[in-house]
Amino acid sequence: MVLGGPSPLLSAEDHPRLPQSQIASLPLMPAQAYAGKECVCQFRKGICDQSCVRDMLETPFYIACLKLTGRSCLVVGGGDIGLEKVEGLLACNGDVALIAPTAHPELERLASEGSIQWEKRAYAGPEDLEGVFMVIACTDDSEVNIGIFDDAEQRAMLVNIVDVPPLCNFILPAIVRTGPLAIAISTAGASPALAKRMKREISELFGEEYARLAVILNDARGWAKGTLPTYQDRKEFFEGIVNGDPDPIALIRESEEPALLALIESAKERAAAALA
């Protein structure tokens, strides 16, 4: 989720790990600049007029889920935001490296235990991106951020300069995770507060029972692929279960999982009989 807005202060949404009293005293990130403040993007206008983000709401973003397992992911910047980004990448099994002269104590701990690789120095240039799949930067130096963006763009790789939309070729939505389910929420930077509310409400609406149903249905995928010859056959099989009567979500909520498994077996028998 790309954050923005007129407030020059960091918010609790930017740093969910910190109390507001500490957030207010943190150094400002470059992207906290707003109209009338110093420009922080590649257009180097001197004073920001926000013209670089005026098309954000009209931009049709291509939403995708990236598989990061075993992929090299670089974070440049070792502060609180760097920690947040590192933890997010580790949660998705990315192979994470950090470049920063100094780092948050928790980042130091992750490095000492071997969870991340930490280069205790400043970003050196294009060579730091060699073999990297994705780079996320959150330094307090606009020129360094611009350089990272330019170097990444020349390599056609994924780059996100935190909170500077014109220095990003992808943005990070708010994510609701429950088991194998992941629901992404983006307001294209228009309202982080709205995205936060939606995340909370979606978390309440789609709880553990949905994740459990996804796991159960995944167990049936092998049978469906091996038995039902066409995509349409498989689609009708699974939609008949998900949208059928009784409601599989209601069965899980009522601790009637054996009844759900019996329902799936009956659906298999009907689907197989239809092919005979």
Side-chain angles (χ1 to χ4, degrees):
M1 177 174 55
V2 176
L3 307 180
S7 173
L9 295 178
L10 298 175
S11 69
E13 184 175 359
D14 299 323
H15 293 282
R17 299 169 57 88
L18 300 177
Q20 185 64 50
S21 59
Q22 293 184 29
I23 290 169
S25 64
L26 290 174
L28 299 182
M29 285 292 293
Q32 299 302 319
Y34 51 92
K37 290 292 186 176
E38 182 179 353
C39 177
V40 297
C41 76
Q42 71 270 45
F43 299 111
R44 295 182 173 90
K45 291 194 172 185
I47 300 300
C48 177
D49 63 4
Q50 291 191 315
S51 60
C52 58
V53 296
R54 285 175 186 162
D55 67 342
M56 283 291 291
L57 296 183
E58 287 74 42
T59 300
F61 289 99
Y62 185 79
I63 306 299
C65 297
L66 300 177
K67 183 178 180 181
L68 297 184
T69 302
R71 293 190 181 276
S72 178
C73 303
L74 175 64
V75 175
V76 184
D80 297 285
I81 296 177
L83 172 60
E84 176 190 332
K85 302 309 175 185
V86 165
E87 290 181 330
L89 293 170
L90 288 176
C92 295
N93 298 321
D95 185 1
V96 182
L98 171 70
I99 292 179
T102 60
H104 187 288
E106 181 65 14
L107 288 170
E108 292 184 356
R109 187 190 69 78
L110 290 171
S112 66
E113 73 182 22
S115 294
I116 65 173
Q117 178 185 348
W118 178 22
E119 297 284 343
K120 300 179 184 180
R121 57 176 176 81
Y123 178 77
E127 59 271 22
D128 284 337
L129 302 183
E130 190 67 33
V132 173
F133 175 70
M134 171 194 298
V135 58
I136 300 175
C138 45
T139 83
D140 57 4
D141 188 321
S142 294
E143 290 303 315
V144 171
N145 290 337
I146 292 168
I148 293 170
F149 174 77
D150 289 341
D151 292 341
E153 280 284 273
Q154 290 175 11
R155 285 160 177 73
M157 60 180 287
L158 294 172
V159 55
N160 179 288
I161 308 301
V162 175
D163 255 355
V164 191
L167 295 180
C168 301
N169 58 27
F170 76 98
I171 62 175
L172 296 169
I175 301 293
V176 176
R177 293 187 189 277
T178 308
L181 300 183
I183 303 172
I185 306 156
S186 174
T187 62
S191 177
L194 177 58
K196 186 176 181 180
R197 171 179 171 168
M198 293 174 65
K199 179 178 179 179
R200 181 180 67 251
E201 293 180 353
I202 289 172
S203 296
E204 296 169 354
L205 182 61
F206 299 104
E208 293 289 340
E209 62 272 23
Y210 284 85
R212 180 57 186 157
L213 179 58
V215 171
I216 292 172
L217 293 177
N218 183 67
D219 291 340
R221 289 185 69 200
W223 176 89
K225 286 186 175 182
T227 306
L228 305 179
T230 69
Y231 168 80
Q232 189 61 34
D233 291 332
R234 295 187 291 273
K235 177 183 177 182
E236 291 176 0
F237 170 74
F238 283 110
E239 288 188 350
I241 296 170
V242 170
N243 301 316
D245 185 18
D247 180 4
I249 292 296
L251 291 175
I252 295 175
R253 285 174 176 166
E254 296 164 5
S255 300
E256 295 289 345
E257 193 167 303
L260 171 58
L261 297 177
L263 183 152
I264 293 174
E265 290 303 315
S266 295
K268 288 180 180 179
E269 293 174 2
R270 291 194 300 273
L275 297 173

